[in-house]
Amino acid sequence: MDITKLQFMIICPLVFLAGFVDAIAGGGGLISLPAYMIAGLPVHMAIGTNKLSSGMGTSVATWRFSRKGYICWKQAIVCVVCALVGSATGANIALLISDAYFKMIMLVILPLTAAYVLHCRSFDIQKTPYSMEKTTALSMAVALVIGVYDGFYGPGAGTFLILLLTAVAHMPLRSANGVAKVINLTTNISALAVYLLNGKVILALGLTAGCFSVVGNYAGTCFFSHWGAKSVKPLMLTVLVIFFVKVCSELVA
C-alpha cells in the first residue's frame, strides 16, 4: 500500500501526542488509531500498523517505569501470560470480521468507552490494599479480559487497565500504571505478531510513527513522575467524538 507525505504528516504528530497521553494515564490508542484511519488506512491495516508504533512507545514507557521502581514484577510476569493468551485470541477474532462489521461494532464500543471515561472516578483514589495473592489473581483476570479487548480493537486498553487494576485489584496508582505498561506491551507484541503474519502492517509507516511514539512516551513518563496522572478526559472525549462522527459518515456513505 502506497503512503503519501500527507498521511505521514497527519499520523506522526498525533502518534506523538498519543504516546504522551498513554504514558500518563493510558488511552493513547484513542488518539493514534483514529489518526491512522482519518489518514485513510483500511481498518485492519490501521490496527496492525498502530500496534507496531504504539508497541515501540510502550516499550520505552515500560523501561522508564521499571527504572523508577513502579513495576511489581512478581505480579507483572503472571499477568503477561494471561495477556498473551487474551491478545492473540482477540487479534484472531478481529481478522475474521470485515471492515463494515468492524465499524458497526465501533458504533457500540465508542459510546461505551466515552461513557466509561466520562464517569470514572479520579485515578488518585486509593482503596484498601488486598493480600498479594488476591491482588495477583485479580490482576491476572484483568490482564486476560483486557488482553482480548486489546487484541481485538485496542484503543483505551491502557486506561481500562489502570482503572481496573486500581478499582478491582486495589493496586496503588503508580504500581497500577507500571503493571499496566507491562501488560499493554505484551498485548501489543502478541497482536502485532498476528497482524504481521497476515500482512496487515505497513512497516515504513509504523516504524516512522513509532519513533514519534517513543519520544511522546518518554516525555509522558517524565510528566507522570513529576505530576502524577492528571486528567486527560477532555482530550480523550474529543477524539472519541471525532472518531464516532467519522465512522458514522462512512457507514452512511
Side-chain angles (χ1 to χ4, degrees), residues 22-235:
D22 201 49
I24 297 170
L30 296 173
I31 301 171
S32 60
L33 182 57
Y36 283 103
M37 297 184 69
I38 290 170
L41 271 67
V43 172
H44 294 112
M45 281 290 189
I47 296 174
T49 308
N50 182 56
K51 293 297 179 187
L52 174 56
S53 60
S54 62
M56 290 172 62
T58 303
S59 64
V60 172
T62 303
W63 170 70
R64 290 273 294 168
F65 278 113
S66 179
R67 286 193 63 187
K68 292 184 175 296
Y70 296 163
I71 300 175
C72 176
W73 285 104
K74 289 183 179 179
Q75 293 175 336
I77 293 301
V78 293
C79 288
V80 161
V81 177
C82 296
L84 279 169
V85 174
S87 182
T89 302
N92 279 293
I93 292 173
L95 288 169
L96 299 175
I97 301 175
S98 69
D99 283 14
Y101 285 116
F102 216 110
K103 289 175 181 177
M104 285 188 280
I105 291 172
M106 287 179 191
L107 292 181
V108 177
I109 292 178
L110 289 171
L112 290 177
T113 303
Y116 190 82
V117 171
L118 182 63
H119 295 293
C120 72
R121 294 186 176 185
S122 170
F123 290 117
D124 295 315
I125 294 176
Q126 173 60 43
K127 296 188 176 182
T128 304
Y130 290 136
S131 66
M132 176 64 74
E133 292 77 13
K134 185 173 182 179
T135 299
T136 301
L138 291 171
S139 300
M140 291 171 66
V142 169
L144 179 64
V145 172
I146 301 301
V148 173
Y149 170 76
D150 198 19
F152 177 76
Y153 180 53
T159 303
F160 293 145
L161 280 169
I162 295 171
L163 290 172
L164 290 174
L165 288 172
T166 53
V168 176
H170 288 199
M171 293 178 65
L173 172 62
R174 292 185 185 274
S175 298
N177 205 343
V179 173
K181 292 294 176 287
V182 178
I183 296 172
N184 215 355
L185 178 59
T186 301
T187 56
N188 271 329
I189 293 173
S190 178
L192 175 60
V194 174
Y195 284 102
L196 279 170
L197 290 172
N198 286 273
K200 300 298 182 181
V201 179
I202 303 172
L203 291 175
L205 177 60
L207 291 171
T208 303
C211 294
F212 284 80
S213 179
V214 165
V215 177
N217 270 272
Y218 188 90
T221 55
C222 293
F223 183 92
F224 181 83
S225 297
H226 287 93
W227 302 102
K230 300 298 181 181
S231 175
V232 291
K233 289 181 184 179
L235 179 59

